[in-house]
Amino acid sequence: MSIRVLVADDQEIVRTGLVMILDAQPDIEVVGEAADGRRAVELARRLRPDVCLFDIRMPGLDGIQATRLLAGPDVDDPLAVVVITTFDLDEYVYAALRAGARGFLLKDAGTVLLSQAVHAAADGDALIAPSVTARLLGAFADNGPASPSLPHPVEALTEREEQILVTVARGRTNSEIAGEFHISLSTVKTHIASLMAKLGARNRVEIAMWAYETKRVRN
């Protein structure tokens, strides 16, 4: 089964390039494209793609607002949204993650990383490009815009959960975590599910943000 993707970017040349790259992948199909956030939300709700790839800056309704409408905490059946941006220290990236985005990419990420990000988001796996995870999340944890911190754990983390927490914050995939600790994929998923429950996190992005906000990982 192909991964169905919706692409939204107000710059036609960028949007066309993203569509061409994704459509060239054997197991990815672009099912829609939009030049602004309102159209993106409309198409996403109608088409229910596996992954939405949104530019963070769009006219009318930007990528943050579109993400919140499709993947925010009040959405009953959230879609997987990955935001893309030109700037690796754009304050809007942090806001997009808070709005429910599963991750982000830089527009110069390249074909391989773009494909990997789409697959990861579709699988609910690695959600932040490892090359920029530590620097960007670390910077925003220290200097980012004011926002409510994630709650304290409802239950203390185990030693293994603390270890898994750090690897998630560094952008490791489930397979990489399993290999590093010599455990099965199902065990990794169990630990991550436990972390989300204890931290009140909705996804891996919020696990990573919590790790940086609590200084468990430093850039």
Side-chain angles (χ1 to χ4, degrees):
M1 294 290 290
S2 294
I3 299 172
R4 301 169 66 254
V5 180
L6 170 66
V7 176
D9 194 300
D10 62 316
Q11 295 182 313
E12 183 177 1
I13 190 169
V14 174
R15 188 174 70 252
T16 300
L18 291 170
V19 170
M20 289 178 62
I21 291 170
L22 293 173
D23 269 340
Q25 307 304 309
D27 56 353
I28 295 177
E29 176 190 6
V30 176
V31 296
E33 54 181 290
D36 63 77
R38 294 190 189 282
R39 178 62 173 163
V41 170
E42 175 189 332
L43 285 176
R45 286 173 170 167
R46 177 161 57 87
L47 299 173
R48 301 296 301 178
D50 299 307
V51 178
C52 298
L53 186 64
F54 289 171
D55 183 16
I56 208 163
R57 291 177 171 173
M58 292 186 287
L61 195 71
D62 64 27
I64 298 168
Q65 295 169 305
T67 297
R68 188 175 295 110
L69 289 172
L70 298 172
D74 298 327
V75 178
D76 292 332
D77 190 13
L79 291 170
V81 179
V82 174
V83 295
I84 53 176
T85 179
T86 304
F87 307 104
D88 59 354
L89 288 179
D90 190 331
E91 70 272 16
Y92 293 124
V93 174
Y94 189 89
L97 298 181
R98 281 294 192 206
R102 288 192 178 183
F104 67 86
L105 278 180
L106 303 182
K107 288 187 178 179
D108 62 357
T111 302
V112 173
L113 193 55
L114 177 62
S115 176
Q116 288 176 346
V118 168
H119 281 89
D123 293 339
D125 198 354
L127 305 173
I128 306 173
S131 62
V132 293
T133 297
R135 182 164 52 81
L136 190 141
L137 280 184
F140 278 114
D142 291 336
N143 305 309
S147 61
S149 294
L150 292 170
H152 292 294
V154 296
E155 182 182 340
L157 305 186
T158 66
E159 181 179 354
R160 177 64 86 193
E161 285 169 350
E162 290 279 3
Q163 294 170 336
I164 299 292
L165 174 74
V166 171
T167 60
V168 170
R170 288 176 173 157
R172 302 292 192 269
T173 66
N174 282 355
S175 296
E176 289 170 337
I177 295 171
E180 180 173 343
F181 294 110
H182 306 289
I183 56 180
S184 68
L185 277 173
S186 62
T187 300
V188 174
K189 292 177 181 178
T190 297
H191 283 309
I192 291 174
S194 179
L195 281 170
M196 286 193 289
K198 289 183 177 181
L199 301 179
R202 294 171 295 168
N203 50 50
R204 296 168 72 109
V205 170
E206 290 193 349
I207 291 176
M209 292 170 70
W210 189 87
Y212 280 96
E213 288 175 348
T214 57
K215 311 302 182 185
R216 280 167 166 78
V217 180
R218 292 182 179 275
N219 50 332

